[in-house]
Amino acid sequence: MTVKISKNIVGYRVTKADNQQAQPDTSVQDTGPKPVEMNEYIERPDFLLGTTYKIKPPVAEHAMYITINDILLNEGTDHESRQPYEVFINSKSMEHFQWVIALTRVISAVFRKGGDVTFLVEELRSVYDPNGGYFKKGGVFMPSLVAEIGAVIEKHLKAIGLLESEEMSEATKRILAEKRAEFESSQKAKNDDSAGEYPANATMCNKCSTKAVIVMDGCATCLSCGDSKCG
């Protein structure tokens, strides 16, 4: 009797030597449909999830608004994931119009290509302006406007779970707060106008690019990310 096998065979058994008919092993594996992964052939749906970020770099006359739209893949399944699909940058300023449009199209094409897109963050953040970078509000140094766009993309990828956030423990936060209070007390800063988010004489941290490094007891400690080196 002919038996039609409609599923994948994952096991078998050898016929016995006495020519006795062996019972077939009908073990099968139903893996079901494979989850959809991001690729360039996925058509743009009518609805995308969007997030807009505002930046106001001192090298631009007006604020810039960076919108990143995400596509939801395998919705309602165990493989549901949110992937970036496209990016737009809008501003009243037309000074950087051409290269900004070109940059958004390239980044969007990389997003739609699929695979690991997190490399974009390092590539963009390593772009340096030959005229020098600038400090954002809070003392964070940006080597260029492109680097700040990269920082926004990094923030977004962390928000949707494609990049891990390096969160400090509560104990580390408490120690940094104590160090900061002790340092500011020793400096006896009385001029409120010069007081900022971090001490005025703090230097830039090589790890997080924030002017938040102070020296106490022979140790250079960043009050922003907690990086510490003792000399």
Side-chain angles (χ1 to χ4, degrees):
M1 178 179 177
T2 303
V3 178
K4 182 178 179 180
I5 300 176
S6 59
K7 297 182 179 180
N8 296 331
I9 299 176
V10 296
Y12 64 91
R13 188 164 55 192
V14 179
T15 304
K16 294 182 179 180
D18 59 0
N19 294 327
Q20 181 180 355
Q21 185 177 0
Q23 297 296 324
D25 187 343
T26 57
S27 300
V28 294
Q29 183 178 10
D30 187 8
T31 57
K34 292 184 179 180
V36 177
E37 296 183 354
M38 191 65 199
N39 64 81
E40 58 189 318
Y41 301 107
I42 295 179
E43 295 185 3
R44 189 188 190 282
D46 295 332
F47 173 79
L48 291 174
L49 303 170
T51 307
T52 300
Y53 303 86
K54 177 184 176 181
I55 61 174
K56 181 59 179 73
V59 295
E61 184 179 355
H62 299 283
M64 304 181 76
Y65 299 87
I66 304 173
T67 299
I68 304 177
N69 290 331
D70 304 321
I71 187 172
L72 200 60
L73 299 179
N74 307 296
E75 187 174 2
T77 70
D78 294 336
H79 303 286
E80 182 175 302
S81 64
R82 183 169 172 174
Q83 301 287 329
Y85 188 88
E86 60 191 9
V87 59
F88 300 99
I89 300 179
N90 296 304
S91 176
K92 291 181 179 179
S93 176
M94 300 294 290
E95 180 182 0
H96 308 289
F97 178 78
Q98 287 188 348
W99 70 261
V100 165
I101 292 297
L103 183 64
T104 58
R105 291 184 178 180
V106 171
I107 294 175
S108 297
V110 173
F111 283 164
R112 290 192 289 270
K113 191 75 174 178
D116 183 9
V117 299
T118 59
F119 75 93
L120 279 173
V121 172
E122 184 177 354
E123 293 295 331
L124 295 175
R125 298 201 64 167
S126 62
V127 175
Y128 287 79
D129 188 335
N131 296 322
Y134 54 88
F135 285 95
K136 289 175 53 180
K137 183 178 180 181
V140 180
F141 177 74
M142 287 295 159
S144 66
L145 176 56
V146 175
E148 186 164 3
I149 294 173
V152 170
I153 293 177
E154 179 181 21
K155 181 179 180 180
H156 185 77
L157 295 183
K158 287 180 178 180
I160 64 177
L162 294 186
L163 278 177
E164 294 185 1
S165 299
E166 297 180 0
E167 294 291 341
M168 288 187 293
S169 65
E170 292 300 322
T172 302
K173 291 180 181 179
R174 185 173 64 254
I175 292 173
L176 290 179
E178 293 173 354
K179 277 184 172 288
R180 178 172 180 174
E182 183 180 352
F183 181 83
E184 291 178 344
S185 176
S186 65
Q187 295 297 308
K188 297 180 181 179
K190 297 180 180 180
N191 188 354
D192 292 337
D193 294 334
S194 63
E197 186 173 355
Y198 298 106
N201 59 344
T203 57
M204 190 169 69
C205 175
N206 292 327
K207 183 177 180 181
C208 68
S209 299
T210 304
K211 290 184 68 175
V213 177
I214 62 171
V215 178
M216 291 189 64
D217 301 326
C219 292
T221 303
C222 178
L223 298 176
S224 175
C225 69
D227 187 51
S228 180
K229 295 180 182 179
C230 296

